[in-house]
Amino acid sequence: MFSGRKTADQLRDEIRNADAAVGEAMSALAIDDVAAARQALSSAPRTHFVDMGWKVGLAGAMIELRAGKMKPGLQKLIAVCSRLDDTDLSRDDKNYLRLYALYRGSEASKDGRAPVELRELVEDFRFDHTLVTPLLRKDFPLKALDEAEPAPPPPPPPPPVPSDAD
């Protein structure tokens, strides 16, 4: 009999493929390649919001913001953040993502303030940064990652000290 539901293996494959597509898109955004990010995200299979759709939606919002489409990007951020409670993410992961959206919304706004709807979602919460899934921190970093500056060369060794035995 055909039940119309996907098998668990198919669902896992779709989730894995969507996660990989989001990772590629966010990597492309990190080097300011919006076209490559769009291309990578377009290869993501459609998944339910609670499975991986939230991550695809968040990456889509970031692409819109980086492309200069502020209003649609901010609306997508608000939509994703308002539905994060539907997912099975941990409380710390949800709050981390809301803070991430708030930071990106603030950067995108003209006056440096995120929209009220986004600010209301993140008011009065705390989270433990160490409990946030490392994959979330990799794909959605709170701070812009600067290229690592090379370390200064080590200081020269001290000159030899003359001995009194001469």
Side-chain angles (χ1 to χ4, degrees):
M1 299 213 178
F2 181 70
S3 66
R5 300 189 132 236
K6 296 179 182 178
T7 66
D9 290 336
Q10 286 175 323
L11 183 60
R12 275 193 295 275
D13 286 341
E14 286 182 357
I15 290 172
R16 194 175 312 116
N17 292 338
D19 190 36
V22 168
E24 289 176 28
M26 294 308 291
S27 295
L29 279 181
I31 58 172
D32 289 329
D33 191 354
V34 177
R38 269 190 211 282
Q39 181 65 31
L41 197 61
S42 69
S43 69
R46 286 197 156 297
T47 59
H48 289 287
F49 184 82
V50 296
D51 292 332
M52 190 57 63
W54 63 268
K55 198 169 189 180
V56 174
L58 191 57
M62 292 310 305
I63 291 171
E64 295 295 322
L65 289 175
R66 193 63 61 91
K69 299 178 181 176
M70 300 306 169
K71 189 166 184 158
L74 290 172
Q75 291 303 319
K76 283 184 181 182
L77 277 178
I78 293 167
V80 169
C81 288
S82 64
R83 292 189 59 200
L84 282 175
D85 288 331
D86 298 341
T87 66
D88 61 351
L89 293 169
S90 73
R91 188 179 126 266
D92 290 319
D93 287 347
K94 291 174 192 175
N95 288 336
Y96 176 86
L97 290 172
R98 287 181 179 127
L99 185 62
Y100 173 82
L102 181 70
Y103 283 5
R104 300 299 86 84
S106 297
E107 290 171 356
S109 70
K110 293 177 184 175
D111 61 356
R113 290 179 52 120
V116 174
E117 299 91 350
L118 204 51
R119 288 193 313 248
E120 287 174 353
L121 290 171
V122 297
E123 284 187 41
D124 300 326
F125 76 85
R126 298 177 75 183
F127 68 95
D128 185 348
H129 200 294
T130 61
L131 297 178
V132 175
T133 306
L135 291 175
L136 283 180
R137 291 191 311 234
K138 181 182 86 55
D139 286 341
F140 304 105
L142 289 181
K143 295 181 181 179
L145 301 176
D146 297 327
E147 291 184 27
E149 295 180 13
V161 177
S163 63
D164 291 336
D166 290 330

